[in-house]
Amino acid sequence: MPAIIKMPNSLEDYAIVELQGDIQADCAMDGRFLGNLFFGNNGIPMLIIGNHLMYGKESKMEKPLAMLRRVKSDETGAEYHVNAIIRQKILFKTRPKPIVGTPGKGK
Amino acid sequence: MENKVDQANKVLLSAKLTESDVYPVSEIFTFHPEFAEVSDFKLLELNQHLEEELEKGDTLYINGSSSDNTVLCTNTNTFNVFTAETSNSLLISNGLKLHNNIKDEKEKCVHDVTVVGISYEYFVVAQIKPDFNKVKQLLSTTVYRGKEHEYEVDESKLLTFEDLWMKTQASKEELKSTIKDLNVVTINNKLRILEFEYHFRVLSFMLKLIDEFSWNLEQICYEETVNSLVDLVPSDIINSMFSMYTEETKMIDGVQLYRYKEREVCRFFAQVLLYSAGKFNFKDFMQAWEESVPEGMKVEENMLHGIALINRKSMPNVIWMFSEFDLPDTINDRFKVLFEAKERWSYEEIAPYIARLTTDKLDVNALLAKHARNFKVNDVKYYSSKHLK
């Protein structure tokens, strides 16, 4: 089936957070909180998901990724629009560091 | 509801960090409320060409029916599409701010980032050459043999350019150049390959006018050509053939004049001689060829590159038709056929037979380096098969 990919007038702003491994959830993810991102004073991004801490690195992607959304599909063919062109990512490639001994109730 | 700044502080604290260790701005990641729906998207890795095309606002096409591979086309290039998988997970995040975006903010605050999808794969492309044989095959069912044979043609098989494009996995520009190489003419908006004999007949009619009007070879008149042949040949065909075989020379009294392209005319006449001949004594061929072309045109051996092969080891030397159009489209198969037909080739000899397979990244030299062995004899470089017999 023929398909076309069109570029709209405006793009949305997307970037990628790349994690080693996978994120598992035992329920639907809709609307759920995932984690927090901080930048250390040295500029290094730190991602905290659950009780895992990860150190990352920002990078410009060698080749950008176009994010395509299907806007139409019928017997004559499909049409996709470019929703975003993703050029930046933060890569967290080190093993997550477990956070232990959480100090009970903050504040 | 808990304040986001407080929540972030709590998390920070749990990781045994303090506010003074980090920038005042942090980000909070949440999955989109309709995650299942919004995560229905595809990722396509863009090379420089695709990126430029999209930025120009040009449309990309995924074309071709009943094929097992997906092909993506821009106006000028054709690509195979593959899926690349990654063991990492890619969180596709809306509103993510990088260090540069937040480093100057002094106020403590938390930005929202929405994750709309987790991807483990994306599409990548690799440039290919379109399937030339398929084009030839599609057009060869409706060859034009002359008005009197038109009733034999199945009208339902006639194709416009758009029809052909929809059926081939190729960019429009590459398809246009393929059609040009095949000497396709457009009759009533339909693409037609001319039958070889018919092509010969029309070209002969056209060239005969040079004598009839005693034209200088540099002063061929388009109007007179069309008017003289209008009863014999449909004007669509004369138009196409005229633009195929002539080029502009000069204006005289406001009339554009033309000359026949010597190389194109001579090459066609060589094919006429070789077409039905099988192997031809090379000396006899050169003489017959010289005599067949219009007076004032000069034949040269290098005009035969890409259409015929000469064996200089046999006694006597022989020549036979060896057309680029009949070779396989895949690189390995094509080199195999080439080295079976002839053991060693000079660059000028082999280049016309592989030029069609070149891409932006692989030119003729790169293809030869990859698929042939080269050696020098008397300072002339030759190419032969990589695999010794």
Side-chain angles (χ1 to χ4, degrees):
Chain A
M1 190 176 63
I4 57 172
I5 299 171
K6 279 190 173 169
M7 186 79 162
N9 291 328
S10 65
L11 293 174
E12 291 181 37
D13 168 33
Y14 277 89
I16 285 178
V17 171
E18 182 171 346
L19 303 178
Q20 202 187 36
D22 199 2
I23 290 182
Q24 300 264 338
D26 45 14
C27 55
M29 289 170 170
D30 299 19
R32 301 252 299 185
F33 162 74
L34 174 67
N36 294 80
L37 176 71
F38 301 91
F39 289 93
N41 288 332
N42 46 11
I44 288 178
M46 295 181 288
L47 183 65
I48 300 173
I49 297 180
N51 52 358
H52 293 287
L53 169 64
M54 284 160 278
Y55 294 98
K57 192 176 175 240
E58 285 183 7
S59 71
K60 190 167 185 285
M61 286 153 63
E62 204 180 315
K63 288 179 180 173
L65 289 173
M67 183 175 170
L68 309 176
R69 285 200 183 278
R70 194 168 60 204
V71 293
K72 189 196 95 175
S73 177
D74 56 31
E75 61 284 351
T76 61
E79 184 172 331
Y80 290 85
H81 281 184
V82 178
N83 190 39
I85 293 183
I86 304 174
R87 299 172 198 280
Q88 307 273 3
K89 71 174 176 186
I90 306 179
L91 170 63
F92 294 92
K93 65 177 173 187
T94 52
R95 278 191 152 274
K97 198 176 111 188
I99 300 171
V100 287
T102 314
K105 314 264 171 279
K107 201 167 76 162
Chain B
M1 198 183 132
E2 190 179 23
N3 179 313
K4 282 176 186 165
V5 176
D6 291 344
Q7 184 270 349
N9 278 340
K10 216 192 265 181
V11 169
L12 202 57
L13 204 62
S14 75
K16 298 196 173 77
L17 291 162
T18 65
E19 286 178 47
S20 60
D21 294 328
V22 298
Y23 277 82
V25 178
S26 73
E27 301 179 59
I28 176 165
F29 284 74
T30 315
F31 287 105
H32 193 282
E34 282 146 41
F35 185 76
E37 266 168 57
V38 296
S39 61
D40 181 24
F41 59 80
K42 310 265 184 232
L43 296 175
L44 169 68
E45 188 181 78
L46 303 177
N47 57 26
Q48 201 187 341
H49 173 72
L50 291 182
E51 192 182 351
E52 284 167 6
E53 293 290 299
L54 284 175
E55 274 171 357
K56 266 195 284 175
D58 281 353
T59 300
L60 310 182
Y61 302 90
I62 297 168
N63 248 12
S65 49
S66 70
S67 162
D68 47 3
N69 59 333
T70 307
V71 170
L72 178 80
C73 308
T74 62
N75 281 322
T76 52
N77 291 10
T78 307
F79 301 91
N80 253 336
V81 181
F82 307 95
T83 304
E85 289 178 16
T86 149
S87 60
N88 288 357
S89 22
L90 309 177
L91 272 53
I92 311 303
S93 309
N94 184 215
L96 179 69
K97 292 182 187 301
L98 300 178
H99 180 237
N100 246 342
N101 309 123
I102 60 103
K103 68 179 190 323
D104 298 328
E105 286 185 44
K106 299 282 175 268
E107 284 295 300
K108 189 156 182 68
C109 75
V110 178
H111 286 295
D112 280 304
V113 178
T114 310
V115 178
V116 303
I118 304 177
S119 299
Y120 307 94
E121 58 178 42
Y122 49 90
F123 296 120
V124 293
V125 301
Q127 197 184 358
I128 53 162
K129 292 310 262 187
D131 190 346
F132 180 62
N133 278 327
K134 191 175 174 192
V135 174
K136 204 167 65 171
Q137 197 188 327
L138 284 166
L139 293 176
S140 63
T141 56
T142 57
V143 169
Y144 188 87
R145 301 185 155 80
K147 259 187 255 174
E148 64 279 19
H149 290 284
E150 277 294 80
Y151 73 93
E152 298 164 7
V153 174
D154 180 354
E155 278 188 37
S156 69
K157 297 248 165 68
L158 293 173
L159 301 172
T160 63
F161 179 80
E162 286 292 320
D163 295 336
L164 182 66
W165 180 63
M166 291 299 281
K167 284 174 187 282
T168 32
Q169 299 186 306
S171 70
K172 285 191 176 175
E173 288 306 316
E174 285 167 306
L175 186 59
K176 276 183 202 162
S177 98
T178 298
I179 285 172
K180 196 160 166 259
D181 292 343
L182 279 173
N183 290 338
V184 167
V185 300
T186 308
I187 305 172
N188 296 329
N189 217 18
K190 304 286 206 263
L191 303 174
R192 308 290 296 273
I193 290 181
L194 295 183
E195 183 208 27
F196 190 75
E197 273 99 16
Y198 182 81
H199 185 142
F200 178 43
R201 203 174 350 141
V202 175
L203 184 60
S204 304
F205 286 152
M206 290 164 68
L207 294 170
K208 241 186 238 155
L209 299 176
I210 301 176
D211 269 350
E212 260 170 50
F213 289 103
S214 309
W215 276 331
N216 176 317
L217 280 182
E218 299 288 309
Q219 298 177 14
I220 307 296
C221 178
Y222 168 73
E223 300 268 299
E224 297 267 29
T225 304
V226 174
N227 292 340
S228 313
L229 299 179
V230 73
D231 295 332
L232 298 169
V233 186
S235 54
D236 279 347
I237 295 180
I238 305 180
N239 282 336
S240 295
M241 293 276 285
F242 198 84
S243 59
M244 228 181 264
Y245 281 105
T246 66
E247 57 199 4
E248 292 182 357
T249 47
K250 55 187 164 187
M251 305 275 287
I252 293 184
D253 299 332
V255 180
Q256 178 65 55
L257 296 171
Y258 301 82
R259 80 163 74 87
Y260 279 97
K261 295 179 198 162
E262 188 172 37
R263 185 178 163 83
E264 296 308 314
V265 172
C266 290
R267 274 166 73 87
F268 187 77
F269 277 87
Q271 289 176 76
V272 170
L273 289 170
L274 295 167
Y275 188 63
S276 48
K279 290 200 175 173
F280 209 127
N281 178 310
F282 183 57
K283 224 176 106 198
D284 294 348
F285 165 80
M286 286 303 284
Q287 195 183 341
W289 187 26
E290 180 76 63
E291 286 165 7
S292 72
V293 301
E295 222 180 304
M297 290 196 185
K298 201 166 158 16
V299 301
E300 275 170 43
E301 228 182 277
N302 67 33
M303 293 172 172
L304 299 168
H305 291 160
I307 56 177
L309 291 183
I310 303 157
N311 185 345
R312 295 175 202 280
K313 282 188 193 157
S314 66
M315 281 300 282
N317 292 351
V318 289
I319 179 169
W320 67 97
M321 185 120 166
F322 191 73
S323 170
E324 193 266 327
F325 293 138
D326 300 327
L327 296 177
D329 274 339
T330 51
I331 296 177
N332 284 327
D333 291 347
R334 182 169 286 212
F335 271 102
K336 194 162 169 261
V337 172
L338 288 173
F339 289 125
E340 273 167 13
K342 186 172 154 80
E343 223 172 279
R344 63 178 194 185
W345 299 71
S346 70
Y347 180 88
E348 288 70 29
E349 286 170 339
I350 203 164
Y353 289 104
I354 55 176
R356 191 183 302 284
L357 301 180
T358 57
T359 60
D360 293 350
K361 279 195 189 133
L362 281 175
D363 62 5
V364 167
N365 278 315
L367 281 176
L368 285 171
K370 203 168 160 192
H371 296 275
R373 190 167 62 90
N374 71 68
F375 56 95
K376 276 190 175 172
V377 178
N378 299 332
D379 251 14
V380 180
K381 209 179 208 179
Y382 288 97
Y383 297 88
S384 70
S385 173
K386 271 203 155 166
H387 314 287
L388 292 170
K389 283 186 190 139

